[in-house]
Each structure stands twice: as structure tokens, then as C-alpha cells.
Amino acid sequence: MNKYTNSFHERANTMADSLILEHYSLSELNFETVSHYRERFARVKPGHPWNGLETKEFLYKIGAWGKLRDSSKEGLTLAGLLMFSEERIITEVLPQYFLEYREYADAKETGWTKRFTSQDGTWSGNVYDFYFRVLAELDRHVWSDEGRSILGEALVNALVHADYGEEGGITVEKEDGAFRFANPGRFRIPVEAALAGQMSNLRNPNVFKMFLLIDVCKRAGSGLKRMHDMQERVLVQPVDISQQTNPNRTIVTLCPLLFPAEVGATIETETDEPLQQTEQEWTEQDDRWIEESFVNNEPNSINIGSSSINNELNSVNNVSNSLNNEANSVKNIANSVTNPPNSDSNEANVHDTDGGEEEGKIDERLWKMAELARRKKRLAPAVMEEMIVRLCCERPLRLKELAALLERTPDGLRNNYLGKLLEEGKIRLKYPDQPNHPRQAYIGTGK
């Protein structure tokens, strides 16, 4: 353990991340990270006087650079090292430093399906870049803005409360419908007090300040309270916080309500006819609503023999009438509306299936946003409605574009979702006075 690590532990009850590392200069920083931070700072605070400062002075203002008042010595602060340096240099000062993200398809026995760590050498390995890499993964799994917000709060909470001198590192795990955020160190105030929003005794106040300045988090003490206050709207289960000893460790577990791979316990059918289920039944995460009397009961089953919507003669998937058959398919090559974004252009072409010459462009972001609907042919109505609104908030979308993105029939979308959303004011028509306008489109209102 070197002198900096000793100093870190000696000052464990003070502002440890303000420790000045005298022999660590600007050359120890990853300047892509610094540039990214400054660009975000400038977007968030476009008229701020710090935007015109030189790098060193800017870093001094945000707490990443320090000066010893009783001498001419100066250097990176521990917070600056953590946020903007690289893993190899950070571990010179903090040998136990380690960051990890991993996903499991279901149970851990099957092994992780995605993983990256601060040690893998493909990125800087610092705290700032870890935050945005993990945030991008969270965005892939949660549809609601509130869901993203609550997971982002948990991530920042782990990063600013971590004791980087202790073993175990910071890990973020996704398993089934849960996200776990674990960090070395325990809360420095009672959990009940933190949940009530009392001023948090931050272990890394300068790291927190840097995140605060770019609007990644709110004031100190608000994170856990926001999670607690939002949990009924956003989470399937209450926030779970556990604290361990030997080694000291804090684990926060969140189960987001809108978790794409599992939400609504989807049924694989190709129909757009809505099932007569209550909203509560749709959002049950334990799958209790999938009972024999619902989908597999012999006399009335949706999937049974002659009455089945999937049976051979009457199926929406049979050869002659199928939505997916070769000549008429909304998935066939010539008139495809479901081809993925082109790897060169990051766009997918959507051709009018009525032979029109007009061609729309679906960018990669929209395609990604609608991925869940294409994978799952039966979604909870609330989830589908939210997805439609989010897509239409990105840009005006015509009915055929929505059908392409969601892999649903135009009539099914119009009858089951769009009329209702228009009535509720969540979307509006681009040409409200001309309902049959040839270029009619739907626009999200943000309500």
C-alpha cells in the first residue's frame, strides 16, 4: 500500500477525494474524457464563465486539480484521477480500484451474456466513462424516462459513496428483472435518514460535484429519497438496500416496472386483437396471469386446435393469407418494412406497400426504440402506447412508418392504439383539419 493509499484511509472521515497527488500531472489524464466532460458542461451551462478557461484552471474550478497553499506544489486531486485518468494509473494510487458491468440472461448458472470491466483495455476505465457506458446499457432495457432516472440515481449513488480504497470494486448487474448496484463501503448515515432525504455524508464530495455540474444528479441527499418517492410508479418491488461487513459493502437492488425483455409476460402471437386483461394482470411480473384458463384451456384456448388464431386453415400465419407470406408479406424483401438499419447509413428504408414512390427514412435510434415490439408480438397495451408516444415525440411518423417500426398491421395500430392516444391528447395529427391528407402523420405531444 503506497503513501497515497495510506493517506486515503487516514482521511476516511474527511474529504478524502480532495487529496492532492503532488506528482500526478495533466499528462495522467485521458483527454478524450476531459473533452467529453467539457462539451457536456458547455451544453448544460452554455453561458458559464468557466467554459473559456484553460484546461488546468477549469479542472481546478471543478475540484479535479488542487494546489497546496503553503507551498508551490500542485497536482491532480484523487477525484480528478478517478474521473478523468485511466485504469492503469488509478490503480497505482488505489490498487483495489475495479469497475464492472455484467448481464445475465436468466439465472447466474448460465453465465453472463455481456460484460465489461475497467481492466479490459478497450476504454479508459475511469469513473466518468463507466457512468456513461453503463447508462447506455440501462437505456436498452428500460422504456420509461422515470425508469431510466431511478436507475441513473442508483448508479451515481454507488459511484459517489464508494470507498475506492476497499476491496470488491463497483459492480452493476442485470439479472432477470432486477438491477443491482454494489459498491465498497457502507452508508455514513442511517439508511432511514438517507431515504428521508437528510443531507448525505458523501464519501467523495468532489466526484459528486463534478456529476452535479453536468446535471447528472441533483443536490446531495436527494438520490435515495427520489428512488423511494418514485418506487410505486416505477418499480415492481420496493427499493432494496442491504449493507454487508467484512468487507464493508452496500447493495441497492431495483426492479424497473417497464423492463423490455420481461414486461407484460408477452405471448407470442401474430394478432393485433387486444386480449381482455386488466392493467394489473398485464404488469404482473411473476407471470401468474399465464394460466391454463387464459391461453391453454382446451375449450376456449387462444392456441387450441380448430379455434386457434394460429391453426392451419384460419391462422394469420398460414401460407395463402399470412401477413408473412412471400408475395404480400410486410416482411418480404422487395417491399420490406422490417429490414434492419443499413450498416453504412444507419438508416432503414421504408417503401410504401401501395406502390407509391415516396420513401421514408427510419434512423437507427427509432429502430432501436421499437425493438421490443418487433421481438414480442404481444405487449401490454400500456407499454405499446408508451412506445408509440415516444416514437412520435422523436419526429412525425406516418401510419406505415409506425407499422414498419413496430411490425404491426396499420389497421391494428389505428383501431387499438392511435385512436385512443389521439383522444387522450398524447399524440396529435400533423394535419388535423385534413384527416385523410396523403402525408398525414402522428406527432407526440409530450403529455
Side-chain angles (χ1 to χ4, degrees):
M1 190 177 289
N2 62 36
K3 69 176 183 177
Y4 293 121
T5 308
N6 280 323
S7 297
F8 183 86
H9 287 290
E10 287 169 7
R11 302 178 61 181
N13 293 316
T14 61
M15 297 173 63
D17 71 345
S18 65
L19 176 68
I20 298 172
L21 310 175
E22 299 175 33
H23 303 293
Y24 284 74
S25 66
L26 296 182
S27 62
E28 266 71 58
L29 299 179
N30 181 298
F31 278 93
E32 286 187 13
T33 305
V34 175
S35 295
H36 187 280
Y37 183 94
R38 294 203 67 168
E39 287 169 5
R40 184 178 177 93
F41 182 93
R43 287 198 305 271
V44 171
K45 296 175 168 50
H48 202 286
W50 294 356
N51 287 321
L53 297 176
E54 295 293 330
T55 300
K56 183 186 289 188
E57 195 61 25
F58 178 83
L59 294 174
Y60 175 74
K61 294 291 189 182
I62 67 173
W65 187 262
K67 301 174 183 178
L68 294 174
R69 293 297 179 187
D70 56 353
S71 71
S72 60
K73 294 179 180 178
E74 55 186 279
L76 286 176
T77 62
L78 192 64
L81 188 81
L82 288 166
M83 285 287 280
F84 301 123
S85 190
E86 297 186 353
E87 186 271 343
R88 180 66 183 86
I89 299 170
I90 296 171
T91 54
E92 290 177 4
V93 178
L94 298 169
Q96 303 293 344
Y97 174 85
F98 181 70
L99 309 174
E100 180 180 25
Y101 174 85
R102 54 180 179 252
E103 293 181 11
Y104 297 93
D106 37 60
K108 288 185 180 179
E109 287 74 15
T110 63
W112 46 264
T113 57
K114 183 163 190 174
R115 179 177 184 252
F116 59 82
T117 77
S118 53
Q119 297 178 344
D120 62 32
T122 60
W123 58 292
S124 67
N126 61 47
V127 166
Y128 179 83
D129 289 342
F130 181 72
Y131 170 83
F132 283 100
R133 285 177 66 92
V134 173
L135 199 66
E137 299 302 327
L138 305 185
D139 280 354
R140 288 196 305 113
H141 297 290
V142 180
W143 285 106
S144 78
D145 290 334
E146 283 191 324
R148 290 193 187 93
S149 176
I150 201 171
L151 291 176
E153 292 278 5
L155 177 56
V156 172
N157 185 77
L159 296 172
V160 303
H161 285 287
D163 183 345
Y164 291 97
E166 292 289 349
E167 62 184 64
I170 294 175
T171 60
V172 180
E173 291 181 299
K174 171 200 168 283
E175 181 185 4
D176 294 333
F179 280 95
R180 295 185 188 87
F181 302 82
N183 62 269
R186 294 163 59 91
F187 281 118
R188 301 167 89 177
I189 62 174
V191 173
E192 296 76 15
L195 289 172
Q198 294 184 20
M199 185 60 70
S200 180
N201 187 355
L202 293 171
R203 185 170 277 112
N204 301 290
N206 284 288
V207 171
F208 174 78
K209 175 185 176 182
M210 292 178 211
F211 279 127
L212 184 67
L213 286 169
I214 55 172
D215 283 359
V216 159
C217 55
K218 307 299 180 183
R219 65 177 179 82
S222 67
L224 284 179
K225 185 176 188 304
R226 278 168 51 79
M227 284 187 244
H228 182 265
D229 292 346
M230 294 167 63
Q231 62 185 358
E232 289 188 5
R233 300 194 306 275
V234 179
L235 303 178
V236 175
Q237 300 173 8
V239 177
D240 180 74
I241 301 174
S242 64
Q243 299 197 82
Q244 302 174 354
T245 55
N246 298 320
N248 291 335
R249 198 158 181 80
T250 299
I251 302 172
V252 176
T253 303
L254 305 173
C255 300
L257 180 62
L258 299 179
F259 195 80
E262 295 82 15
V263 72
T266 58
I267 300 174
E268 299 291 346
T269 66
E270 292 290 336
T271 181
D272 277 295
E273 291 299 319
L275 298 181
Q276 300 303 310
Q277 293 299 112
T278 67
E279 192 65 22
Q280 180 180 357
E281 287 171 318
W282 274 116
T283 55
E284 285 289 328
Q285 294 297 304
D286 58 9
D287 295 353
R288 285 177 295 182
W289 61 276
I290 309 181
E291 297 174 353
E292 290 184 357
S293 61
F294 177 51
V295 291
N296 295 317
N297 197 27
E298 289 187 7
N300 302 311
S301 172
I302 292 175
N303 299 316
I304 193 66
S306 61
S307 302
S308 173
I309 58 173
N310 292 319
N311 79 72
E312 199 168 305
L313 292 176
N314 301 314
S315 174
V316 292
N317 296 318
N318 77 68
V319 175
S320 61
N321 299 313
S322 175
L323 293 175
N324 301 317
N325 78 70
E326 227 172 86
N328 302 312
S329 176
V330 293
K331 296 182 180 178
N332 77 71
I333 295 175
N335 298 313
S336 176
V337 292
T338 62
N339 56 305
N342 182 278
S343 58
D344 295 324
S345 65
N346 288 331
E347 294 176 329
N349 294 335
V350 181
H351 300 272
D352 285 346
T353 54
D354 59 6
E357 296 181 357
E358 183 176 345
E359 177 181 285
K361 298 285 189 178
I362 295 181
D363 61 40
E364 188 174 15
R365 175 174 170 77
L366 293 179
W367 193 260
K368 183 177 178 181
M369 288 171 64
E371 180 182 359
L372 175 61
R374 294 193 301 276
R375 286 194 291 109
K376 301 292 186 179
K377 298 307 177 185
R378 173 64 62 188
L379 289 180
V383 176
M384 178 62 89
E385 289 170 10
E386 182 178 359
M387 194 181 302
I388 291 170
V389 172
R390 286 177 58 82
L391 289 167
C392 292
C393 283
E394 290 292 313
R395 70 172 174 84
L397 290 170
R398 301 176 66 189
L399 180 58
K400 288 177 181 178
E401 290 179 304
L402 282 169
L405 285 163
L406 301 166
E407 280 190 16
R408 297 297 193 273
T409 63
D411 286 344
L413 286 177
R414 184 189 294 110
N415 297 334
N416 297 329
Y417 303 107
L418 298 177
K420 178 175 181 287
L421 292 173
L422 284 168
E423 288 180 8
E424 293 174 348
K426 294 181 179 178
I427 60 174
R428 63 179 176 84
L429 293 176
K430 185 175 181 180
Y431 304 100
D433 298 328
Q434 304 176 63
N436 297 320
H437 193 287
R439 297 180 61 81
Q440 188 61 271
Y442 299 91
I443 300 172
T445 63
K447 291 183 179 180

